[in-house]
Every structure is written in structure tokens, then in C-alpha cells.
């Protein structure tokens, strides 16, 4: 069902000022680490391609996606970033863990966005199978890490443009 219009991987139109001073925190789930590792690497590549200094990118690991919101909150409070990327991969299993974790994580991340008035990006795959997750972390459906980085930069640019208007 994915359409080109919905794919944030095509991120040509981000107009960012002072990229070299922008600070980004990436919080990554260790659960499904092969997949989250590919997303993390793609996110870092996208950020540096847009002029973010690698020294200004901090990466912190949390045990699973459920811990992403608190990991992001620690990053916000201690590292003072301009945006946080939360990267995780939740795969549907036999239990209802999938629904509980997915819902808790998305709500926790949204709450941080509004409480801190800061872009906290939902870079979390929620798939039925490992194969679907692989397809979205460097396979035929792109890489959610690229999209997460592009979304963070777009929101920073939006804030800059809103400040200036
Ligand atoms: C427990 C659990 C399960 C069943 N599945 C996943 C998953 O697919 N992806 C993920 O990121 N984490 C999973 N976890 C771990 C929880 O996110 C969390 O780390 C533990 O419940 C401890 O709070």
C-alpha cells in the first residue's frame, strides 16, 4: 500500500539553517538488533548527508522498544538535543505483547513531543513478520531509519522557519 508521496525517504526539500550546530539524539532498541542496527546506520548517514556533525549525534541503547520513551526523556533532559529519533522494531508474535508495547510506545513518544515541544520521532517498525521488518530496514520498502532522520530534520527546519516568520 506504500505510495511515493508517503515515503519520507525522498527528502530533497529540507531547508535547514546552521546544520553543523544541530544536536541529535538517537535512542535505539536492542530488541531485534540486526534490524534496529540497519535503521540506526541509515539514520546517521542521512543526518550527516544533511550537514549534521557526527560529533553532535549521540546514540544510546535501551533494552526494548517499551523503554524508548524513557530513554528519549533522559536524552532530552541530559543532552539537550534539537530532536530525538526513537528507533525500534516490534514484531507481531503469538502474544498480545505486540499491541501493548506498540500502543505504549507510540503514546509515550507523542507525549514527549508535546510536553517538551521537541521533535521526538517515531522510528519504530511494527510488522507481522521479520521479513516485513527486513524489507523496511534496507530492503525493497526502503529504510525507516532514513525516514526518521528526514522527519527530524524537517521538524527542526519547520521550527526555524516558524521562529523567523
Ligand atoms: C517483551 C518484548 C516482546 C515480546 N517483543 C518485543 C519486540 O518485538 N520488539 C521490542 O522492541 N521489544 C520487545 N519486547 C521487549 C519490551 O520492549 C521490553 O523491553 C520488555 O518488556 C522490558 O520492559
Amino acid at each position: 500500500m506504500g505510495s511515493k508521496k508517503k515515503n519520507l525517504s525522498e527528502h530533497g526539500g529540507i531547508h535547514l539553517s546552521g546544520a553543523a550546530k544541530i544536536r541529535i539524539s538517537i535512542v535505539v532498541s536492542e530488541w531485534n538488533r540486526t534490524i534496529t542496527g540497519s535503521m540506526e546506520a541509515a539514520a546517521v548517514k542521512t543526518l550527516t548527508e544533511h550537514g549534521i556533525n557526527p560529533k553532535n549525534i549521540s546514540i544510546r541503547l535501551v533494552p526494548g522498544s517499551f523503554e524508548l520513551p524513557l530513554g528519549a526523556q533522559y536524552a532530552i533532559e541530559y543532552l539537550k538535543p534539537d530532536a530525538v529519533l526513537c528507533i525500534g522494531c516490534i514484531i507481531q508474535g503469538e502474544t498480545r505483547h505486540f499491541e501493548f508495547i506498540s500502543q505504549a510506545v507510540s503514546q509515550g513518544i507523542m507525549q514527549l513531543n508535546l510536553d517538551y515541544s521537541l521533535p521526538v520521532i517515531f522510528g519504530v517498525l511494527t510488522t507481522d513478520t521479520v521479513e516485513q521488518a527486513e524489507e523496511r530496514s534496507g530492503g525493497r520498502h526502503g529504510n525507516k531509519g532514513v525516514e526518521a532522520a528526514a522527519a527530524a530534520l524537517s521538524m527542526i527546519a519547520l521550527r526555524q522557519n516558524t521562529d523567523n516568520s
Side-chain angles (χ1 to χ4, degrees):
M1 287 293 283
S3 79
K4 273 194 172 179
K5 276 186 185 161
K6 288 182 188 164
N7 192 346
L8 288 173
S9 298
E10 290 157 26
H11 46 87
I14 300 171
H15 303 290
L16 206 58
S17 311
K21 289 195 174 163
I22 287 171
R23 296 155 60 84
I24 305 283
S25 286
I26 306 180
V27 184
V28 189
S29 164
E30 286 190 277
W31 199 284
N32 296 317
R33 183 66 181 127
T34 307
I35 286 162
T36 63
S38 300
M39 292 159 69
E40 173 191 324
V44 169
K45 184 167 180 284
T46 302
L47 293 171
T48 54
E49 281 171 357
H50 282 82
I52 307 299
N53 187 334
K55 286 184 187 163
N56 292 335
I57 302 173
S58 69
I59 299 173
R60 298 287 185 276
L61 296 177
V62 293
S65 292
F66 188 79
E67 284 74 34
L68 286 170
L70 184 56
Q73 185 165 317
Y74 289 159
I76 294 166
E77 292 181 349
Y78 297 114
L79 303 173
K80 311 284 182 206
D82 295 289
V84 183
L85 313 189
C86 293
I87 290 182
C89 172
I90 309 171
I91 298 175
Q92 175 74 287
E94 296 295 309
T95 71
R96 290 178 63 204
H97 267 103
F98 180 81
E99 274 82 17
F100 288 136
I101 296 173
S102 303
Q103 228 174 42
V105 174
S106 64
Q107 284 177 6
I109 290 176
M110 175 49 77
Q111 189 183 322
L112 291 174
N113 275 270
L114 301 180
D115 286 354
Y116 288 93
S117 194
L118 193 81
V120 182
I121 305 300
F122 184 79
V124 181
L125 289 172
T126 53
T127 63
D128 293 333
T129 64
V130 177
E131 290 71 29
Q132 288 172 349
E134 286 168 350
E135 287 169 356
R136 290 159 179 78
S137 56
R140 69 191 175 106
H141 289 306
N143 193 313
K144 183 92 174 170
V146 174
E147 294 186 26
L153 296 177
S154 294
M155 289 305 293
I156 294 169
L158 175 64
R159 192 178 55 205
Q160 290 176 342
N161 292 332
T162 308
D163 274 355
N164 292 336
S165 62

